[in-house]
Structures are given as C-alpha cells and as structure tokens.
Amino acid sequence: MLFITILLLNCSNENDTTDTEINSIHKSEAEMAQPNFRDLLLNGTTAKYAPPTIRTESDLVGVDSPGCYNVNVRVYISVDGGNEYLVANDNVLVGDCNNGNRGSSDPKCNGYLPDGNYVYENGTQEDICLYELLIENETAYNQYLASVSRFLN
C-alpha cells in the first residue's frame, strides 16, 4: 500500500513538471513570434512585416485640478494578420497642469510633449515608454492628439 501511494505521488509530480515545461515552451514560442516593436515603431524597420497599424485609446483616470485631467493613454500595434499588441501604456496630464514631479527620472519615459501635456510612467511595464513613442512616431502622436482632444473640448 505504501508503495502504491509513493508511486502515485511520484507520477503526479512528474505530470506537474511536464505541464510547467509545456507552458514554458509555449510562452517562449509566443514571445519569439512577437515582432520587435522598437524596430517597427521607432526605427521604421518592416523587413519581415507589412507596415504596422497603430491604434491609440485613452481613459480619464481623474481630475487633478480644474482644467487638469489625468489620462491613461495606451498604444496598440497590429501586424501581419491582425494580431494586436499593447506596446505603450502610461499617463498624461492634459490641460492646465503642473507635473508635480511625477514619474521616474528616465528621460525616455517622462517629459513634455509638443502640445504642452506631460507624460509620466504609471508603473506598468510595456515594450516602449509612451513618451518615447509619441516623440519618435508621428502616427502615434497624431492619434494620441485625437484621443485626448475630447478631454479639452
């Protein structure tokens, strides 16, 4: 009886390990299948892919003061067959705002945009900082402007 119990526990542990290994393999394959978003969006490299489609969304996080809106902005990229990936996700102070020393000290991730709004990290880890993407990619910046304009009108 003791032998059967040990044998069953041993088989159970082997199955758990196998499932973990399989999940790890699938995750690695999925990660390897993703394009290099930095190359696609910031460097314009599209050798292996058709030009990407960029989509921007924004939602109100809160009102910091009258005329100052804290907005979460997300940028998605769609490549080859419609697979869509979230590539940037940070917050923007829109309107008449004081940045209040928000965000990290990384100059790629925090700063003022040409429209005067302030982008700062919100603690999420995406492939590209929103500030860097909006400064470097005109399509993403124009979509951002259209997305946040509703908070100013």
Side-chain angles (χ1 to χ4, degrees), residues 65-101:
S65 62
C68 176
Y69 304 95
N70 190 350
V71 178
N72 176 253
V73 177
R74 297 166 309 283
V75 178
Y76 299 87
I77 183 174
S78 177
V79 292
D80 286 349
N83 291 328
E84 190 172 70
Y85 304 94
L86 175 65
V87 293
N89 175 10
D90 286 316
N91 290 354
V92 181
L93 294 176
V94 176
D96 185 22
C97 304
N98 178 352
N99 74 18
N101 296 320

Side-chain angles (χ1 to χ4, degrees), residues 55-61 70-76 86 88-94 113 119 122 124 126 130 134 140 143-145 147-148 151:
R55 183 173 64 86
T56 303
E57 291 182 348
S58 61
D59 293 305
L60 182 66
V61 174
N70 190 350
V71 178
N72 176 253
V73 177
R74 297 166 309 283
V75 178
Y76 299 87
L86 175 65
N89 175 10
D90 286 316
N91 290 354
V92 181
L93 294 176
V94 176
L113 296 169
V119 179
N122 64 5
T124 60
E126 305 305 333
L130 179 66
L134 296 179
Q143 285 197 11
Y144 147 79
L145 288 174
S147 181
V148 299
F151 298 106

